[in-house]
Amino acid sequence: MTVVTIHIYPYVTPQCMILVTGGAGYIGSHCAIRLIEEGKDIVIFDSLELGHKETVDTLRSVSKGSKVEFVQGDLKNPSDIRSVFEKYDIDAVVHFAAYSQVAESMKDPQKYYYNNVYGTLNLLSAMKDARVGKIVFSSTAATYGEPEYVPIDEVHPQMPINPYGNSKLMVERIMDDYSRAYGLRSVRLRYFNVVGADGRIGEWHVPETHLVPNVLKSVLSPGGVFSMFGTDYDTRDGTCVRDYIDVRDLIDAHILALSYLDKGGETDYFNLGTNDGSTVREVFSECEAVVGSKIQVNECARRPGDPAVLIADNQKAKSVLGWEPKHTLKESVETAWSWEQKLN
Ligand code: UFG
C-alpha cells in the first residue's frame, strides 16, 4: 500500500498593496490616510525632499492593523523604485510624486522634465516589468494652458504654457502609449485648485505659493500682509477666477478611479473641479469670515503666467466614475484654518 502524505499549508490570501508615490506630500498623504482608513495595505514611496517624515508618522498612527510601509526613495533612481516592486506585492499605484510649482518650472525646466517625466518613466518601466497594470496619476489643469472656453471639458485642446504643464502632459501621452502597447491602464486626473485639509494632516509646502494657505499664514505671522496678485483682470471683481476643489472630494475621485480600474475600466482622463469658480477676492473674504477678523492685504501687480479664469467641466467624472464633490469653499477654508494653526 502506498501512503501519500498530503501537506496542508495554512493558506493565507496575500493582500496586495497599493503603492502611493509622494505619499508624504499634501495630496498624496490625504490619499494615503483614506486608503489606510479603508483597511488597505499601502507602501508610501517618498524622497522627503518636499514631503514630511512627521506626515508619515501620522499616517502610521492612524492604521488599525493594516500595513503602512514607508520607503524613502527617489523616482530618478531606477533601483529605488524597482526594489519596491521586488519587495512588495503591489496591485495598483497612485502616483503623486512630482514638482508642481509653475514659476519654478519656468526658471528651471530641466528640473521638471527630469523629475516629473524621467522619474515617471522609471516608475512605469518598473510597473511593466513587475506586471502591475493599474495606475492613477495626478495630472493638472495646467495641461490645458490658456483656456479657449470655460468651463473646460476634457476635449479642450491641451496646450500648456509652462514646463510644469508640459511635463504632466508628456506623462499623460506616455501613459496612453503604455496602455496601448503594454496594457498598463491609467486614469489621469486633472486637478483644478486643491484646497482644505483632513485636519490630522494638511497642506504643508515650503515655500508656500498657494492662495488659501498664504492668506491664512498672513494672519498668523506678526505684521503679516497678504499679497493679492492682479486686480485688473477682465473678471467680475478684477481678480482671477479659479475652481477650488476640496482635497477630501479630490481623494474620493482617486478611490473611485482605483475601483474603476479594478473593474476593468479603460485608460481615461477626468477633470476634478466643481464646475464653479471663485475670484481671489471672494476666497479672501471667505478667509476673513472663517478667521473672524480683517486681514491685511496688499494689492500687487499680476503674477506672470496666471490665466484670468480656470473652471472645470466635471460632468465626465460624475457620469463615468460616479463622483460628486460635496464640500463647500467655506468648509475647505475652515479645515485649512484649523490645520494652519496646528502647523504654526
Ligand atoms: N494668489 C495671490 N496671492 C498668493 C497666492 C496666489 O493673489 O499669495 C492668486 C494667484 O495669483 C491666482 C490665485 O490666487 O490668481 C490662485 O493661485 P494659486 O497659486 O493658489 O493656484 P494656481 O491657480 O496658480 O495653481 C493651480 C495649481 C497648479 C496648477 C495651476 C494650473 O496649484 O499646480 O493651478 O493653472 F498648475
Side-chain angles (χ1 to χ4, degrees), residues 142 164 193 209-211 214 226-227 229 240 242 303 306 310:
Y164 166 63
N193 288 60
T209 60
H210 293 114
L211 174 60
N214 273 356
F226 165 68
S227 298
F229 301 132
C240 288
R242 292 289 180 275
R303 192 173 65 175
D306 276 342
L310 285 176

Side-chain angles (χ1 to χ4, degrees), residues 134 185 255-266 320-321:
K134 293 174 282 183
R185 290 174 298 128
I255 303 300
L256 290 166
L258 280 169
S259 106
Y260 164 88
L261 288 171
D262 277 343
K263 288 181 204 140
E266 293 294 321
V320 178
L321 298 178

Side-chain angles (χ1 to χ4, degrees), residues 4-26:
V4 179
T5 311
I6 301 171
H7 296 279
I8 301 174
Y9 295 99
Y11 182 71
V12 181
T13 310
Q15 190 185 357
C16 289
M17 305 183 84
I18 297 175
L19 171 62
V20 184
T21 75
Y26 170 40

